Amino acid sequence: MSQPIQITDSAQEYLAELLEKQNVEGIAVRIFITQPGTPYAETCLAYCRPGEEEPTDERLELPRLAVHLDRNSLPFLEEAVVDFNADRMGGQLTIKAPNAKMPKVNADSPLEDRINYILYSEINPGLAAHGGEIKLIELTEEKVAVLAFGGGCQGCAAVDLTLKEGVEKTLMERIPELVGIRDVTDHTDTTNAYYR
């Protein structure tokens, strides 16, 4: 398969030297993207000792080092470039991943990515005007999406009716496997509510 990410020679040299300093037999580098396909996507590069990689990772064998690529991040790492620019201060490793924030989802994408895609492309833009946003916190084994209603939506008494109904309807229509949604700040808990 073609390499989804380009690691320049200077970056390979730099990373190989860093790995040697760790003094761990078989240590590699792991590249993954947190919250891929969303405006919050961050491309991360970490040391990966033997056994710390995920079984589904794709392994790249480069001349001086091995790189593990997180499978869920692969579509978002297309056209990514890891480079090292030497300068008087020692230099800087840069990772440019132009597709990290681009939602690349299809019917085969993990459920979380599909939920995030709908939240970020359809639901949140409408809430932004009210200073609100919704994030996916987790997907339970029962396929219930746990969402956090943030910003202007939080603590609003109407949140249950307006948002939850609208969001649930949209998500359930788009993603038939989804069983339901739950609000992480479940509003049935009124212990912190203030009454007078």
Side-chain angles (χ1 to χ4, degrees):
M1 99 146 230
S2 68
Q3 215 168 290
I5 184 168
Q6 186 197 337
I7 302 175
T8 64
D9 291 345
S10 60
Q12 289 184 40
E13 288 290 312
Y14 175 72
L15 289 169
E17 283 169 23
L18 280 184
L19 291 177
E20 275 163 28
K21 287 179 188 153
Q22 298 305 304
N23 231 350
V24 175
E25 186 66 37
I27 192 167
V29 164
R30 187 166 191 267
I31 299 175
F32 56 96
I33 297 177
T34 57
Q35 301 195 56
T38 76
Y40 307 107
E42 293 281 344
T43 309
C44 306
L45 193 146
Y47 292 127
C48 185
R49 293 174 177 78
E52 288 182 341
E53 69 279 358
E54 294 288 330
T56 52
D57 280 357
E58 188 160 307
R59 187 176 165 97
L60 285 184
E61 290 289 351
L62 301 171
R64 288 188 58 194
L65 74 152
V67 178
H68 294 280
L69 301 174
D70 169 55
R71 190 178 66 179
N72 284 354
S73 303
L74 282 175
F76 304 94
L77 285 169
E78 275 172 27
E79 298 168 34
V81 178
V82 180
D83 194 14
F84 178 75
N85 297 313
D87 60 29
R88 288 201 315 270
M89 308 298 287
Q92 194 179 12
L93 189 72
T94 58
I95 307 176
K96 292 191 176 70
N99 294 308
K101 292 180 164 68
M102 292 293 294
K104 285 180 184 276
V105 292
N106 57 39
D108 300 327
S109 298
L111 213 49
E112 288 97 326
D113 289 358
R114 287 155 55 202
I115 294 167
N116 270 327
Y117 175 65
I118 293 167
L119 287 179
Y120 287 104
S121 62
E122 296 180 34
I123 293 171
N124 279 341
L127 297 178
H130 307 286
E133 67 161 4
I134 298 177
K135 275 191 192 141
L136 175 67
I137 300 300
E138 67 165 323
L139 185 66
T140 68
E141 284 175 20
E142 298 79 43
K143 294 196 167 43
V144 173
V146 180
L147 304 177
F149 294 79
C153 313
Q154 211 171 356
C156 155
V159 73
D160 279 356
L161 294 171
T162 49
L163 274 186
K164 220 165 158 192
E165 278 181 11
V167 171
E168 187 158 26
K169 189 163 172 281
T170 305
L171 284 174
M172 304 284 280
E173 274 172 11
R174 293 310 201 72
I175 305 175
E177 306 99 293
L178 203 55
V179 172
I181 71 166
R182 201 166 71 228
D183 178 358
V184 71
T185 55
D186 208 331
H187 293 272
T188 51
D189 175 12
T190 53
T191 48
N192 296 327
Y194 177 66
Y195 295 108
R196 45 153 164 224

